[in-house]
Amino acid sequence: MKRRVVIVVCDSLGARFINAGHTPTLHDMRQSAAEFSCARSVFPSTTRTSSASMATGCYPMEHGLLGNTMVIDEGQGLVCLSAGAPDFLD
């Protein structure tokens, strides 16, 4: 039998907000799920940085996403660029 895992990440949704009245589906899922109440985020704890750390198991210094910036080797060493800048993909 194959076992599957679903990880639900709700940005900025604190555990105290999950209850039967406001979030019934999440509340029901939580009742039968594993919960890591002592888990802590990486620093900086931006969505991009935290998500990359959860997906890779690496700290920000290793995966290169530092907040809304990204460290890229531009050929002459590492450069810190804003991933939100309009010309970032260029």
Side-chain angles (χ1 to χ4, degrees):
M1 173 172 65
K2 291 183 180 181
R3 296 187 70 185
R4 297 172 190 239
V5 174
V6 175
I7 298 173
V8 177
V9 179
C10 299
D11 191 23
S12 300
L13 178 62
R16 67 183 179 274
F17 299 119
I18 299 174
N19 58 58
H22 291 102
T23 54
T25 302
L26 285 177
H27 178 264
D28 291 347
M29 287 173 58
R30 187 179 186 187
Q31 300 306 306
S32 62
E35 184 173 333
F36 301 96
S37 58
C38 292
R40 298 293 177 258
S41 181
V42 294
F43 181 83
S45 61
T46 61
T47 300
R48 182 171 300 173
T49 307
S50 298
S51 297
S53 290
M54 285 188 287
T56 64
C58 298
Y59 287 111
M61 186 174 210
E62 295 175 81
H63 60 59
L65 293 173
L66 307 172
N68 290 326
T69 60
M70 190 171 182
V71 178
I72 299 175
D73 187 347
E74 290 286 324
Q76 296 180 350
L78 298 177
V79 178
C80 190
L81 301 171
S82 172
D87 63 344
F88 175 73
L89 293 177
D90 296 337

